Amino acid sequence: AVVSTQSTGTSVGSLAEILALCPILSKSKKVLYFHENQLVYPNQSMKDRDYQYGYNQIMSALIADLVLFNSEFNMASFLENIDPFLNRMPDCKPKGISITIKKKSKVLYCPIEFPRVARSRWNPESLHIVWPHRWEHDKNPEEFFKVLEELIDCNCKFELSVLGTAYNEVPEIFENFYSRHKQCVIQWGAVESYDAYLSHLQSADVVVSTAVHEFFGIAMLEGVWAGCFPLCPNRLSYPEIYPKECLYNTEKQLIKQLKQLCKNPCLAKKKWDKVIGQIDIEKYSWEKLKCEYLKVLTPFDA
């Protein structure tokens, strides 16, 4: 089977180009997996190449035998935006492409190998907040740090771990916040190993997302697995995964939730106990999903 995964990096080329460069693969089963889609990416400034990324993904989906998505939200947002995206073309606008792709599309969650972890603290003196995301604008760090500034102005005490990878263009808000409030920071930036990453998750009480672009959210689920109560925006893939107790609609609601937890850090554990059974985190594990993956990756002639 030919397997192509679609993310920001691999959207530079298409599955059609792979097959053109290596024709011997044309008779193989072609499986396309979408980790994300470019049709709804929140570009800060639209460039010609940004249109090309989305076009490449549509062409790849057309030529694939099976199109997989890591969430219902990812699949719906891709299929619903194919026609509006192609309507930007000046002429020769193709019709019926979304219907063709929908017929061979399905959701298959991204499998996570959850490690065995032991909660390192259950009686914290101050709330430990963790933000485990890429340092890029689509994860909306501006809102996250604005919320933290509000907590600080209200004399709320907390500890902070900002994990994730920084790339060439880091939003200025990271340095601005750190320079003023480094005294509350436990970890700033990516750690040296996955074990160290897990250690920070285990020591935290609440894991927060403010993302405006997210199609699944592995880091949030890893945080929940490690014992953190999740707070996510009520949008994107999050309502598909988390109960309403974990979702906020506005910045003010997020501030209110965190203020409450700062005043009573032990409440995070009680909230986690309440929601962990509703999240059904095991269904995203490799153990639960491996048979499905083996099935879809089995060649036609096997």
Side-chain angles (χ1 to χ4, degrees), residues 69-119:
F69 295 85
N70 61 353
S71 67
E72 294 285 351
F73 168 73
N74 194 2
M75 182 170 71
S77 63
F78 182 74
L79 294 173
E80 290 168 4
N81 281 282
I82 289 175
D83 290 339
F85 184 89
L86 292 175
N87 283 339
R88 298 175 185 174
M89 298 172 65
D91 50 27
C92 299
K93 300 173 183 178
K95 303 294 183 182
I97 287 181
S98 60
I99 296 173
T100 300
I101 295 173
K102 183 177 182 179
K103 290 177 181 178
K104 53 185 176 180
S105 297
K106 65 177 290 187
V107 172
L108 185 57
Y109 289 116
C110 181
I112 305 173
E113 287 198 78
F114 292 113
R116 291 186 178 183
V117 295
R119 182 69 173 160

Side-chain angles (χ1 to χ4, degrees), residues 238-294:
Y238 295 122
E240 184 179 334
I241 298 172
Y242 299 97
K244 62 181 181 180
E245 292 87 347
C246 304
L247 305 174
Y248 62 87
N249 293 302
T250 65
E251 185 180 292
K252 287 185 178 180
Q253 288 180 356
L254 176 58
I255 292 170
K256 182 179 179 180
Q257 285 255 39
L258 288 173
K259 278 184 179 179
Q260 183 186 43
L261 293 171
C262 285
K263 291 177 182 178
N264 184 7
C266 292
L267 186 59
K269 166 64 166 60
K270 294 178 181 179
K271 286 178 172 285
W272 183 86
D273 284 339
K274 182 179 178 181
V275 302
I276 189 61
Q278 301 177 57
I279 296 174
D280 190 16
I281 201 167
E282 290 283 352
K283 79 176 183 179
Y284 308 109
S285 70
W286 171 243
E287 285 301 312
K288 288 286 185 180
L289 291 168
K290 63 182 178 181
C291 288
E292 279 294 310
Y293 273 89
L294 290 173

Side-chain angles (χ1 to χ4, degrees), residues 7-273:
S7 59
T8 304
T10 53
S11 299
V12 174
S14 71
L15 180 57
E17 291 170 315
I18 293 174
L19 296 177
L21 290 169
C22 191
I24 195 172
L25 296 175
S26 61
K27 294 182 180 180
S28 301
K29 183 179 184 180
K30 295 169 283 292
V31 181
L32 182 69
Y33 193 95
F34 277 83
H35 290 285
E36 57 89 51
N37 78 74
Q38 289 287 308
L39 303 193
V40 291
Y41 188 78
N43 291 293
Q44 290 182 304
S45 60
M46 185 63 76
K47 303 183 178 78
D48 290 342
R49 69 184 185 197
D50 296 318
Y51 292 110
Q52 187 64 45
Y53 293 157
Y55 187 78
N56 287 347
Q57 289 191 329
I58 294 171
M59 292 302 102
S60 292
L62 268 176
I63 204 165
D65 298 305
L66 180 61
V67 184
L68 304 173
F69 295 85
N70 61 353
S71 67
E72 294 285 351
F73 168 73
N74 194 2
M75 182 170 71
S77 63
F78 182 74
L79 294 173
E80 290 168 4
N81 281 282
I82 289 175
D83 290 339
F85 184 89
L86 292 175
N87 283 339
R88 298 175 185 174
M89 298 172 65
D91 50 27
C92 299
K93 300 173 183 178
K95 303 294 183 182
I97 287 181
S98 60
I99 296 173
T100 300
I101 295 173
K102 183 177 182 179
K103 290 177 181 178
K104 53 185 176 180
S105 297
K106 65 177 290 187
V107 172
L108 185 57
Y109 289 116
C110 181
I112 305 173
E113 287 198 78
F114 292 113
R116 291 186 178 183
V117 295
R119 182 69 173 160
S120 59
R121 69 176 196 173
W122 284 120
N123 296 297
E125 294 182 2
S126 62
L127 187 72
H128 183 178
I129 301 169
V130 63
W131 193 83
H133 310 287
R134 285 184 287 105
W135 291 25
E136 294 187 305
H137 79 277
D138 61 309
K139 300 307 177 185
N140 199 12
E142 289 79 10
E143 181 177 9
F144 177 67
F145 289 117
K146 183 180 178 183
V147 167
L148 296 188
E149 293 277 8
E150 177 71 22
L151 296 180
I152 292 169
D153 289 344
C154 295
N155 295 316
C156 293
K157 294 182 179 179
F158 60 87
E159 299 171 322
L160 176 65
S161 289
V162 177
L163 309 177
T165 303
Y167 296 95
N168 292 333
E169 297 182 12
V170 176
E172 291 182 2
I173 189 64
F174 284 93
E175 179 58 32
N176 292 341
F177 182 88
Y178 183 74
S179 64
R180 295 195 305 272
H181 305 297
K182 64 179 70 175
Q183 70 278 0
C184 69
V185 174
I186 293 176
Q187 173 62 34
W188 192 256
V191 291
E192 67 276 9
S193 67
Y194 186 64
D195 286 342
Y197 167 74
L198 288 176
S199 179
H200 281 283
L201 293 181
Q202 289 170 254
S203 68
D205 304 299
V206 57
V207 58
V208 178
S209 171
T210 47
V212 293
H213 180 251
E214 184 61 81
F215 295 98
F216 184 59
I218 292 176
M220 290 297 292
L221 281 168
E222 288 175 327
V224 174
W225 180 260
C228 299
F229 177 67
L231 284 172
C232 320
N234 189 15
R235 58 179 179 254
L236 311 172
S237 61
Y238 295 122
E240 184 179 334
I241 298 172
Y242 299 97
K244 62 181 181 180
E245 292 87 347
C246 304
L247 305 174
Y248 62 87
N249 293 302
T250 65
E251 185 180 292
K252 287 185 178 180
Q253 288 180 356
L254 176 58
I255 292 170
K256 182 179 179 180
Q257 285 255 39
L258 288 173
K259 278 184 179 179
Q260 183 186 43
L261 293 171
C262 285
K263 291 177 182 178
N264 184 7
C266 292
L267 186 59
K269 166 64 166 60
K270 294 178 181 179
K271 286 178 172 285
W272 183 86
D273 284 339

